[in-house]
Amino acid sequence: MYSSPETKIQVVIGPDKILATAIGTGAGNFLVELPRGVKVGKGDKVVHQALDTYLLGTVGSVDNDPRQTLQKIYIASPVNIYELSWVEIVAK
């Protein structure tokens, strides 16, 4: 699956179109780390960089610890992958 642990996907986050690398954490979830000064908010849409019509998920939460240089952005899939009956596999 695309959200398998350690799987990396290039994404675009929010209305400011922030480019980042999302790392799969399993169960349809991803983690992005960005510098603390980059504005990302809960609910921001996250799309695949190459397929901008493909919604990867939305920002569920942002851990912006002032003691750290990077903020952690947690992204959740827009659907519960465990409730899917069908999936489509598209080869490039």
Side-chain angles (χ1 to χ4, degrees):
M1 287 287 311
Y2 62 92
S3 66
S4 296
E6 303 305 315
T7 299
K8 294 181 180 179
I9 298 176
Q10 299 303 310
V11 298
V12 178
I13 304 173
D16 293 337
K17 300 188 185 304
I18 301 161
L19 298 177
T21 300
I23 300 171
T25 59
N29 299 303
F30 299 88
L31 172 67
V32 171
E33 291 186 321
L34 292 172
R36 281 191 318 132
V38 177
K39 290 199 173 229
V40 176
K42 184 176 180 179
D44 281 355
K45 292 184 181 352
V46 181
V47 296
H48 192 285
Q49 184 177 349
L51 308 167
D52 63 356
T53 58
Y54 177 69
L55 178 65
L56 187 70
T58 56
V59 174
S61 66
V62 178
D63 182 3
N64 198 351
D65 185 343
R67 297 171 294 172
Q68 303 296 323
T69 58
L70 297 175
Q71 60 183 326
K72 293 183 180 185
I73 296 107
Y74 297 95
I75 300 165
S77 174
V79 297
N80 182 341
I81 64 170
Y82 296 110
E83 293 180 357
L84 296 175
S85 298
W86 297 92
V87 295
E88 180 180 359
I89 298 173
V90 179
K92 287 185 180 182

